[in-house]
Amino acid sequence: MQLPEKLPRHISIIMDGNGRWAKERGKERAFGHAEGIESVRVITEACAEWGIPYLSLFAFSEENWGRPQEEVDALMKLMFKAVANEYETMMRNNVRFLALGNRGRLDPVLNAAVSHLEEQTAGNTGLTMIVFVSYSGKWDIQQAADRMAAEGGSSIEPYLVTAGIPDPDLIIRTSGEKRISNYLLWQAAYSEFVFTETLWPDFRKDSLLAALEEFASRDRRYGKVK
Ligand code: FPP
């Protein structure tokens, strides 16, 4: 395995296809989400190992609250389990954990557990792993604009929940869908996109490596000429 020389500083992933993965196996959607957690673990460890500074994952959108209650509950339960169980792996891999989004919509017990994990890992200096929960791009821009107006600020960026985090260089979306789905609308201004047919539970190290190779072959000009 050969890592390309030109690596992104921030990789962001729209993890899609858990439901279809489960359906292909005649199982409930929650089964696909559970296997998706295994992909989260593998991809996070790979990014930590390869020295990628930032990995962010779109785990739950503002719109996802509209899914059947049973599925919302299953996703929240999985998130709670992950937050409770991943502490040691994060410490071992020197990972700093952040959860960004409309956090007030989360169950208070889950929200407190998330805050606790953020505090426990705050001193880690390796990979920053960001999980976007109850997040949408329009929500973020709106809350930033509201706070900016209230404080009499003049620039949006410092008010976005991603303030201080570099914009994603690479956004990967799995499962063959080719949409931004109200994700990082402001921050994706110059991101490179890689779309793959692979369903998220099947997205492992080799899939990430293929996306990194594709990224390395792109010529980024930021609207200028070379
Ligand atoms: C998309 O598949 C996936 C999600 C909406 C949830 C992703 C969440 C996880 C993998 C678990 C939580 C993550 C962390 C980091 C704790 P889909 O259900 O839209 O699949 P489909 O398009 O095939 O229906």
Side-chain angles (χ1 to χ4, degrees):
M1 190 203 76
Q2 179 89 36
L3 259 188
E5 228 169 82
K6 193 175 88 178
L7 289 173
R9 189 165 168 220
H10 180 174
I11 301 173
S12 195
I13 309 182
I14 302 177
M15 309 179 287
D16 200 1
N18 294 347
R20 276 163 284 168
W21 188 90
K23 198 170 171 209
E24 279 174 6
R25 287 159 180 80
K27 305 267 193 183
E28 296 292 323
R29 298 174 56 80
F31 181 72
H33 296 316
E35 190 60 25
I37 295 269
E38 192 50 35
S39 295
V40 169
R41 185 177 299 116
V42 170
I43 295 306
T44 305
E45 284 194 289
C47 286
E49 180 191 332
W50 296 343
I52 305 288
Y54 294 87
L55 168 69
S56 60
L57 304 165
F58 198 12
F60 195 86
S61 71
E62 280 282 78
E63 291 77 16
N64 286 156
W65 290 113
R67 289 195 178 192
Q69 193 57 41
E70 188 191 353
E71 185 174 351
V72 171
D73 290 346
L75 275 166
M76 291 299 148
K77 226 163 133 184
L78 275 175
M79 228 174 284
F80 189 78
K81 218 167 106 187
V83 164
N85 291 342
E86 296 307 320
Y87 166 71
E88 270 161 34
T89 321
M90 287 186 186
M91 297 311 282
R92 195 172 55 244
N93 289 288
N94 197 16
V95 173
R96 175 170 75 122
F97 171 80
L98 294 176
L100 303 178
N102 195 358
R103 292 264 304 265
R105 288 190 80 175
L106 295 183
D107 175 89
V109 178
L110 172 60
N111 202 19
V114 164
S115 296
H116 187 54
L117 187 60
E118 287 180 323
E119 286 155 22
Q120 284 176 308
T121 61
N124 288 345
T125 53
L127 173 73
T128 297
M129 177 205 197
I130 301 155
V131 173
F132 283 96
V133 279
S134 198
Y135 182 86
S136 83
K138 287 189 179 183
W139 166 81
D140 194 6
I141 294 167
Q142 185 65 57
Q143 68 79 29
D146 291 346
R147 291 199 297 136
M148 183 181 76
E151 290 183 18
S154 56
S155 145
I156 293 257
E157 215 143 65
Y159 294 96
L160 294 168
V161 293
T162 51
I165 294 162
D167 288 342
D169 304 291
L170 169 63
I171 296 181
I172 300 168
R173 183 166 188 155
T174 60
S175 90
E177 310 288 354
K178 297 180 180 71
R179 287 188 292 278
I180 185 103
S181 296
N182 205 359
Y183 188 39
L184 298 170
L185 299 180
W186 178 285
Q187 299 87 340
Y190 281 104
S191 303
E192 294 291 331
F193 284 81
V194 168
F195 298 104
T196 166
E197 294 297 320
T198 308
L199 304 176
W200 177 247
D202 288 328
F203 191 95
R204 298 293 160 95
K205 242 173 146 167
D206 53 337
S207 332
L208 180 61
L209 189 60
L212 290 177
E213 275 161 3
E214 165 94 43
F215 174 80
S217 75
R218 302 273 177 91
D219 183 18
R220 301 180 83 195
R221 291 186 299 278
Y222 302 93
K224 303 187 178 88
V225 287
K226 270 213 169 144

